[in-house]
C-alpha cells in the first residue's frame, strides 16, 4: 500500500499538485486519470522520487519515502519498477540487453543468472525470438513488452506505468492492459497507471483516482462512475468516450 498525504508540488508559481491525498492498494491496478496537463505525470514522478513534493508525505507500506533519508529512499526504489511514457528503451542495445540492464546495474547476479532471469521475463510478457533485436526493429506493442519485462526484472513490489497505451492501436492496448493486470495479480504488486484511455478505465479500473487541475477530484471503482454526480468527472469521461467513438475505437 502506498499512502499519499496532502502532497503539494509547485514549479515556480505554478501550483501543480494541490493537497493530493490517496491510498494506492496492493494487488490492484490503481488508475490515475485526468485530462492532459492535470498533473498525473508530476504525481507519478513524486511517487517514484524523481520530484520531491514541497509539502506532504508519501509512505510505502508505512515506510517514509518523500521525507525519508537517502538510504531509506534507495531501499524503497529497489522495489519500484517503472515504464515511462514511450517506453524509454535504450536504442543502442538489443532487447535482452535492455532487460538485463537493471540486473547488471543493481544486483551481483552472475551472467548465467541474469540470462535466466531475462529469458523468464521475456517469456512472461510473451516476447518470442526477440532477444537479439534492437528497439528500432520491433513494433510499438513489442517495445511496451520489452519495457514491461525490464520493469519486472528486479521483482518489484510497486509498478508504475505512465500512459502505457500511448501510441498503440486499440487492440494492442487491450492486450497490454491485460498483461499489466495479470502480472499485478500474479506478483500482488501495487500497480499505478496514468491513463486517459477509457477502455482501460472500464476494464481495469478497480481503483480510480481522478485528478482535476492538480487536485484529487474523485476516487472510486469504475462501476461508481455511472452514479456519480461529479460534473467534472462525468464531463471528462463523456468527452474522452465521445472522442474515442468519433475515432471509431470505442
Ligand atoms: N519539469 C517541469 N517543470 C515545470 N513545469 C512542469 C514540469 N513538469 C510538468 N510541469 C507542469 O505541470 C503541469 C502538469 O503536468 P503533467 O503532470 O505532465 O500533466 P499530465 O501528465 O496530467 O498531462 C503542467 O502545467 C506542466 O506544464
Ligand atoms: Mg502525463
Amino acid at each position: 500500500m502506498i499512502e499519499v498525504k496532502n502532497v503539494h508540488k509547485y514549479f515556480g508559481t505554478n501550483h501543480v499538485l494541490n493537497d493530493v491525498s490517496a491510498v494506492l492498494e496492493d494487488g490492484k491496478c490503481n488508475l490515475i486519470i485526468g485530462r492532459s496537463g492535470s498533473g498525473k505525470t508530476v504525481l507519478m514522478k513524486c511517487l517514484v522520487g524523481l520530484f520531491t513534493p514541497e509539502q506532504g508525505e508519501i509512505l510505502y507500506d508505512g515506510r517514509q519515502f518523500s521525507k525519508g533519508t537517502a538510504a531509506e529512499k534507495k531501499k524503497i526504489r529497489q522495489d519500484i519498477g517503472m515504464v515511462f511514457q514511450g517506453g524509454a528503451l535504450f536504442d543502442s542495445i538489443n532487447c535482452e540487453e535492455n532487460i538485463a540492464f537493471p540486473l547488471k546495474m543493481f544486483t551481483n547476479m552472475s551472467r548465467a543468472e541474469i540470462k535466466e532471469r531475462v529469458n523468464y521475463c521475456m517469456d512472461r510478457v510473451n516476447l518470442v525470438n526477440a532477444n537479439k533485436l534492437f528497439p528500432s526493429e520491433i513494433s510499438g506493442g513489442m517495445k511496451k513488452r520489452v519495457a514491461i519485462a525490464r520493469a519486472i526484472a528486479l521483482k518489484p513490489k510497486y509498478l508504475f506505468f505512465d500512459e502505457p497505451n500511448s501510441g498503440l492501436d486499440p487492440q494492442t492496448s487491450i492486450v497490454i492492459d491485460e498483461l499489466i493486470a495479470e502480472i499485478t495479480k500474479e506478483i500482488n504488486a501495487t500497480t499505478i497507471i496514468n491513463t486517459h484511455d477509457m477502455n482501460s478505465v472500464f476494464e481495469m479500473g478497480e481503483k480510480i483516482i481522478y485528478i482535476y487541475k492538480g487536485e484529487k477530484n474523485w476516487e472510486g471503482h469504475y462501476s461508481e462512475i455511472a452514479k456519480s454526480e461529479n460534473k467534472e468527472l462525468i464531463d471528462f469521461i463523456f468527452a474522452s468516450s465521445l472522442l474515442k467513438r468519433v475515432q471509431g475505437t470505442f
Side-chain angles (χ1 to χ4, degrees):
M1 174 174 76
I2 304 171
E3 291 163 274
V4 181
K5 293 186 178 172
N6 308 102
V7 162
H8 291 259
K9 179 72 200 162
Y10 298 83
F11 290 108
T13 53
N14 190 5
H15 196 172
V16 174
L17 295 177
N18 185 0
D19 204 32
V20 174
S21 296
V23 173
L24 307 165
E25 297 171 30
D26 302 348
K28 280 191 182 174
C29 291
N30 299 270
L31 299 191
I32 299 173
I33 66 170
R35 61 189 66 180
S36 182
S38 58
K40 303 182 296 295
T41 297
V42 171
L43 176 58
M44 187 166 276
K45 287 185 175 174
C46 287
L47 282 163
V48 301
L50 291 171
F51 289 147
T52 305
E54 276 76 30
Q55 281 178 56
E57 54 184 10
I58 295 166
L59 296 129
Y60 277 73
D61 290 312
R63 298 178 287 171
Q64 189 55 254
F65 182 65
S66 58
K67 287 182 172 169
T69 62
E72 284 168 331
K73 278 190 185 169
K74 190 171 173 218
K75 199 154 186 343
I76 293 171
R77 278 215 196 95
Q78 288 169 352
D79 290 333
I80 292 178
M82 180 158 182
V83 176
F84 292 94
Q85 193 166 359
L89 298 177
F90 303 114
D91 289 328
S92 59
I93 55 177
N94 68 28
C95 290
E96 68 177 13
E97 288 164 342
N98 262 282
I99 300 165
F101 187 83
L103 300 169
K104 288 182 183 160
M105 191 83 178
F106 299 112
T107 74
N108 299 317
M109 287 165 77
S110 68
R111 285 170 71 104
E113 285 167 335
I114 289 178
K115 197 171 167 40
E116 194 187 324
R117 181 72 190 152
V118 166
N119 286 335
Y120 172 84
C121 293
M122 290 188 98
D123 267 2
R124 183 60 201 84
V125 300
N126 306 317
L127 271 172
V128 183
N129 294 334
N131 292 54
K132 304 294 177 198
L133 297 177
F134 285 81
S136 60
E137 299 175 300
I138 60 178
S139 67
M142 280 173 83
K143 281 185 197 159
K144 296 283 169 178
R145 290 177 196 272
V146 176
I148 296 171
R150 187 175 63 185
I152 62 173
L154 289 169
K155 302 185 180 169
K157 288 192 192 125
Y158 315 101
L159 275 173
F160 292 87
F161 298 88
D162 196 2
E163 305 279 0
N165 296 337
S166 68
L168 298 182
D169 62 77
Q171 282 79 17
T172 308
S173 296
I174 292 170
V175 174
I176 293 295
D177 279 355
E178 283 171 357
L179 183 62
I180 294 172
E182 273 170 31
I183 290 174
T184 297
K185 297 286 177 237
E186 220 169 85
I187 63 176
N188 196 35
T190 306
T191 297
I192 296 94
I193 304 165
N194 279 352
T195 189
H196 56 253
D197 187 324
M198 285 306 115
N199 261 329
S200 309
V201 170
F202 290 106
E203 285 194 12
M204 58 191 325
E206 299 164 291
K207 167 100 180 201
I208 296 165
I209 290 160
Y210 175 55
I211 304 286
Y212 179 71
K213 294 185 178 170
E215 294 183 19
K216 189 189 75 180
N217 182 280
W218 186 85
E219 178 174 358
H221 189 270
Y222 74 87
S223 60
E224 293 165 329
I225 292 176
K227 42 182 200 285
S228 164
E229 288 175 8
N230 182 321
K231 187 181 173 310
E232 279 86 22
L233 174 71
I234 298 299
D235 282 355
F236 170 72
I237 297 281
F238 182 73
S240 308
S241 308
L242 194 65
L243 182 66
K244 284 255 173 188
R245 203 170 298 158
V246 169
Q247 291 169 335
T249 56
F250 189 70

